Amino acid sequence: MKGYYISRNYKSLFNAAGKAKTDCENILSEMGFKNLGFKQSSIPSSARGTIKNFFGISLALIRLPFKSTLCTQYPLNKFRKYVLFGAKLKRCKIITIVHDVRYLKGRTSSAEKELKKIISSDAIIVHNQAMKKWFLDQNVQIPIIVLGIFDYLSNQGLPEQNNTKNGEKPFEIVYAGGFGEGKNSYIYDLDTLEKNEFKMNLYGLGFDYEKLNVAKDKSILSYKGAFPSDVVAYKIEGSFGLVWDGISTEECSGQYGQYLKYNNPHKTSLYLLCGLPVIVWDKAAISTFVLENGIGITISNLKDLSDTLEKLSEKEYNKMKTNVNHVRKKIISGGYLSDAVHQAMQNM
């Protein structure tokens, strides 16, 4: 497929944002898109990274052929306008892969301003049908392609550490993510649920045993450490992956929790890659994909989790595992983005 993209520097490959965007670049390369900028890098210094990005993007815009197709990713922080200006000057077609909508995340107060940055494109690729509906409700006229779920690449092959688990109880629930204020502070409240007959294996930066509501030896929480995004998939062990953000066990509340109504959390793809069925909030946008593919369960309140898991038979669990195996083969090969980009090019 003939097309171009501009690689850039990513400050950290520990986090989901960096992993998702570098994977998109690598998938585009596998599809035959050519990188016009500098080689992908991960310089942690903001100043050095910004300078490298500026010169890499400038070189790319000089190299960009007239009337070609350029695939971009949003957000691009400081350089989005610059890239669009150069591409339009050369009358190029532009595809934009949308990773985050800051307005929906509560990071900006103007939907109109953000929309201008995103839809100055010939087609956009969004997470799911809920996000597509939001763009349609804003009267966006360009083609809007639904991704379905983010891919999660690895050159080490599919993780095997969870392949032999067959629904043994109590279930081990995995949560992977940063443990910052507001994003998942509910984690520390899981010990206080009236019924919590499951174990929690936690992975990520910032977990603090001092915040536990019970003695450490009585807690269902077990912190396993933090690992880079290309390593963590081979460390995670459990029965299910939990997709739940916010400050409450009763619903996904707060800024991060409500964003689940529109976005596809990258941790969902990580869990599936690890061979884990997922547990998701029933109002989360990703719940539709989970139910349609039979790869997990949905709940409205974490207080119901123990009862839901207790009723789950070994046969039902193993069926989910089989379905997960089909999906993760596509995730590790970049199949979801590849399909979306092909569709975008056909619709422009």
Side-chain angles (χ1 to χ4, degrees), residues 127-161:
H127 296 200
N128 49 55
Q129 289 292 345
M131 189 176 280
K132 178 177 179 176
K133 183 180 183 302
W134 182 82
F135 276 97
L136 291 174
D137 288 345
Q138 314 309 309
N139 297 314
V140 172
Q141 302 296 316
I142 60 174
I144 304 171
I145 312 303
V146 170
L147 178 64
I149 195 167
F150 280 101
D151 300 297
Y152 203 110
L153 303 187
S154 175
N155 56 15
Q156 299 179 57
L158 289 169
E160 298 180 357
Q161 69 270 20

Coordinates of all heavy atoms in Angstrom, one line a residue, residues 127-161:
H127 N -12.0 5.0 18.0 CA -11.9 3.8 18.8 C -13.1 2.8 18.5 O -12.9 1.6 18.4 CB -11.9 4.1 20.3 CG -10.7 4.9 20.7 ND1 -10.3 4.9 22.0 CD2 -9.8 5.6 20.0 CE1 -9.2 5.7 22.2 NE2 -8.9 6.1 21.0
N128 N -14.3 3.4 18.6 CA -15.5 2.5 18.7 C -16.7 3.3 18.2 O -16.6 4.4 17.8 CB -15.7 2.0 20.1 CG -15.6 3.2 21.1 OD1 -16.3 4.2 21.0 ND2 -14.7 3.1 22.1
Q129 N -17.9 2.6 18.2 CA -19.1 3.2 17.7 C -19.5 4.4 18.5 O -20.1 5.3 18.0 CB -20.2 2.1 17.6 CG -20.1 1.1 16.5 CD -20.2 1.7 15.1 OE1 -20.7 2.8 14.9 NE2 -19.8 0.9 14.1
A130 N -19.3 4.3 19.9 CA -19.7 5.4 20.7 C -18.9 6.7 20.4 O -19.5 7.8 20.4 CB -19.5 5.1 22.2
M131 N -17.6 6.6 20.1 CA -16.8 7.7 19.8 C -17.2 8.2 18.4 O -17.3 9.4 18.1 CB -15.3 7.4 19.8 CG -14.4 8.6 19.6 SD -12.6 8.2 19.7 CE -12.4 8.1 21.5
K132 N -17.5 7.3 17.5 CA -18.0 7.7 16.1 C -19.3 8.5 16.2 O -19.4 9.5 15.6 CB -18.2 6.5 15.3 CG -18.7 6.8 13.9 CD -18.9 5.6 13.0 CE -19.4 5.9 11.6 NZ -19.5 4.8 10.7
K133 N -20.2 8.0 17.1 CA -21.5 8.7 17.3 C -21.2 10.1 17.8 O -21.9 11.1 17.3 CB -22.4 8.0 18.2 CG -23.7 8.6 18.4 CD -24.6 7.8 19.4 CE -26.0 8.5 19.5 NZ -26.0 9.9 19.9
W134 N -20.3 10.3 18.7 CA -20.0 11.7 19.2 C -19.5 12.6 18.1 O -20.0 13.7 18.0 CB -18.9 11.6 20.3 CG -18.6 13.0 20.9 CD1 -19.3 13.6 21.8 CD2 -17.6 13.9 20.5 NE1 -18.8 14.9 22.1 CE2 -17.7 15.0 21.3 CE3 -16.5 13.8 19.6 CZ2 -16.9 16.1 21.1 CZ3 -15.7 14.9 19.4 CH2 -15.8 16.0 20.2
F135 N -18.6 12.1 17.2 CA -18.2 12.9 16.1 C -19.3 13.2 15.1 O -19.5 14.3 14.6 CB -17.1 12.2 15.3 CG -15.7 12.4 15.9 CD1 -15.1 11.4 16.8 CD2 -14.9 13.5 15.6 CE1 -13.9 11.6 17.3 CE2 -13.7 13.7 16.2 CZ -13.2 12.8 17.0
L136 N -20.2 12.2 14.9 CA -21.4 12.5 14.0 C -22.3 13.5 14.6 O -22.9 14.3 13.9 CB -22.1 11.1 13.7 CG -21.4 10.1 12.9 CD1 -22.2 8.8 12.8 CD2 -21.2 10.7 11.5
D137 N -22.5 13.4 16.0 CA -23.3 14.4 16.6 C -22.7 15.8 16.5 O -23.5 16.8 16.7 CB -23.4 14.0 18.1 CG -24.3 12.8 18.3 OD1 -25.0 12.4 17.4 OD2 -24.3 12.2 19.4
Q138 N -21.4 15.9 16.3 CA -20.8 17.3 16.1 C -20.9 17.7 14.6 O -20.2 18.6 14.2 CB -19.4 17.3 16.5 CG -19.1 16.6 17.9 CD -20.0 17.2 19.0 OE1 -20.1 18.4 19.2 NE2 -20.6 16.2 19.7
N139 N -21.6 16.9 13.8 CA -21.8 17.2 12.4 C -20.6 17.1 11.5 O -20.3 17.8 10.6 CB -22.4 18.6 12.1 CG -23.8 18.8 12.8 OD1 -24.6 17.9 12.6 ND2 -24.0 19.8 13.5
V140 N -19.7 16.1 11.9 CA -18.5 15.8 11.1 C -18.9 15.1 9.9 O -19.7 14.1 9.9 CB -17.5 14.9 12.0 CG1 -16.4 14.5 11.1 CG2 -17.0 15.7 13.2
Q141 N -18.4 15.6 8.7 CA -18.9 15.1 7.4 C -17.9 14.1 6.8 O -18.3 13.4 5.9 CB -19.1 16.3 6.5 CG -20.1 17.3 7.0 CD -21.5 16.7 7.1 OE1 -22.0 16.0 6.2 NE2 -22.2 17.0 8.2
I142 N -16.6 14.1 7.2 CA -15.7 13.2 6.6 C -15.9 11.7 7.0 O -16.5 11.5 8.0 CB -14.2 13.6 6.9 CG1 -14.0 13.6 8.4 CG2 -13.9 15.0 6.4 CD1 -12.6 13.9 8.8
P143 N -15.3 10.8 6.2 CA -15.5 9.4 6.6 C -14.9 9.1 8.0 O -13.8 9.6 8.3 CB -14.7 8.6 5.5 CG -14.7 9.5 4.4 CD -14.7 10.9 4.9
I144 N -15.7 8.4 8.8 CA -15.2 8.0 10.2 C -15.2 6.5 10.2 O -16.2 5.8 10.1 CB -16.2 8.5 11.2 CG1 -16.3 10.1 11.1 CG2 -15.7 8.2 12.6 CD1 -17.4 10.6 12.0
I145 N -14.0 5.9 10.4 CA -13.8 4.5 10.5 C -13.6 4.0 11.9 O -12.9 4.6 12.7 CB -12.5 4.1 9.7 CG1 -12.5 4.8 8.3 CG2 -12.4 2.6 9.5 CD1 -13.7 4.5 7.4
V146 N -14.3 2.9 12.3 CA -14.2 2.4 13.6 C -13.1 1.3 13.7 O -13.0 0.4 12.9 CB -15.5 1.8 14.1 CG1 -15.3 1.0 15.4 CG2 -16.6 2.9 14.3
L147 N -12.1 1.5 14.6 CA -11.0 0.6 14.8 C -11.5 -0.7 15.4 O -11.0 -1.8 15.0 CB -10.0 1.3 15.7 CG -8.7 0.4 16.1 CD1 -7.9 0.1 14.8 CD2 -7.8 1.2 17.1
G148 N -12.3 -0.7 16.5 CA -12.7 -1.9 17.2 C -11.9 -2.1 18.5 O -12.5 -2.1 19.5
I149 N -10.6 -2.3 18.3 CA -9.7 -2.4 19.5 C -8.3 -2.1 19.0 O -8.0 -2.3 17.9 CB -9.8 -3.8 20.1 CG1 -9.2 -3.8 21.5 CG2 -9.2 -4.8 19.2 CD1 -9.5 -5.0 22.3
F150 N -7.5 -1.6 19.9 CA -6.1 -1.3 19.6 C -5.3 -2.6 19.5 O -5.5 -3.5 20.2 CB -5.4 -0.4 20.6 CG -5.8 1.1 20.4 CD1 -6.7 1.7 21.2 CD2 -5.1 1.8 19.4 CE1 -7.1 3.0 21.0 CE2 -5.5 3.2 19.2 CZ -6.4 3.8 20.0
D151 N -4.4 -2.6 18.5 CA -3.5 -3.8 18.4 C -2.4 -3.6 19.5 O -2.2 -2.6 20.1 CB -2.8 -3.8 17.0 CG -3.8 -3.9 15.9 OD1 -4.5 -5.0 15.9 OD2 -4.0 -3.0 15.1
Y152 N -1.7 -4.7 19.8 CA -0.6 -4.7 20.7 C 0.5 -5.6 20.2 O 0.4 -6.8 20.3 CB -1.1 -5.2 22.1 CG -0.3 -4.7 23.3 CD1 -0.8 -3.8 24.2 CD2 1.0 -5.2 23.5 CE1 0.0 -3.4 25.3 CE2 1.8 -4.8 24.6 CZ 1.3 -3.9 25.5 OH 2.0 -3.5 26.6
L153 N 1.5 -5.0 19.6 CA 2.5 -5.8 18.9 C 3.6 -6.4 19.9 O 3.9 -5.8 20.9 CB 3.2 -5.0 17.8 CG 2.4 -4.3 16.8 CD1 3.3 -3.7 15.7 CD2 1.4 -5.3 16.1
S154 N 4.1 -7.5 19.5 CA 5.3 -8.1 20.2 C 6.0 -9.0 19.3 O 5.4 -9.8 18.6 CB 4.8 -8.8 21.5 OG 5.9 -9.5 22.1
N155 N 7.4 -8.9 19.3 CA 8.1 -9.8 18.4 C 8.6 -11.0 19.2 O 9.3 -11.8 18.6 CB 9.4 -9.1 17.8 CG 10.3 -8.5 18.9 OD1 10.1 -8.8 20.1 ND2 11.2 -7.6 18.6
Q156 N 8.0 -11.2 20.4 CA 8.4 -12.4 21.2 C 7.3 -13.5 21.1 O 7.4 -14.5 21.8 CB 8.6 -12.0 22.7 CG 9.7 -11.0 22.9 CD 9.8 -10.6 24.3 OE1 10.0 -11.5 25.2 NE2 9.7 -9.3 24.6
G157 N 6.3 -13.2 20.3 CA 5.2 -14.2 20.2 C 4.2 -14.1 21.3 O 4.3 -13.3 22.2
L158 N 3.1 -14.9 21.1 CA 2.0 -14.8 22.1 C 2.5 -15.3 23.5 O 3.1 -16.3 23.6 CB 0.8 -15.6 21.6 CG 0.1 -15.1 20.4 CD1 -0.9 -16.1 19.9 CD2 -0.7 -13.8 20.8
P159 N 2.2 -14.5 24.5 CA 2.5 -15.0 25.9 C 1.8 -16.3 26.2 O 0.6 -16.5 25.8 CB 1.9 -13.9 26.8 CG 1.9 -12.7 25.9 CD 1.5 -13.2 24.5
E160 N 2.5 -17.2 26.9 CA 1.9 -18.5 27.2 C 1.7 -18.8 28.7 O 1.1 -19.8 29.0 CB 2.9 -19.6 26.6 CG 3.2 -19.5 25.1 CD 4.1 -20.5 24.7 OE1 4.7 -21.3 25.5 OE2 4.3 -20.6 23.4
Q161 N 2.0 -17.8 29.5 CA 2.0 -18.1 31.0 C 0.6 -18.4 31.5 O 0.4 -19.0 32.6 CB 2.7 -17.0 31.8 CG 2.0 -15.7 31.8 CD 2.4 -14.8 30.7 OE1 2.9 -15.3 29.7 NE2 2.2 -13.5 30.8

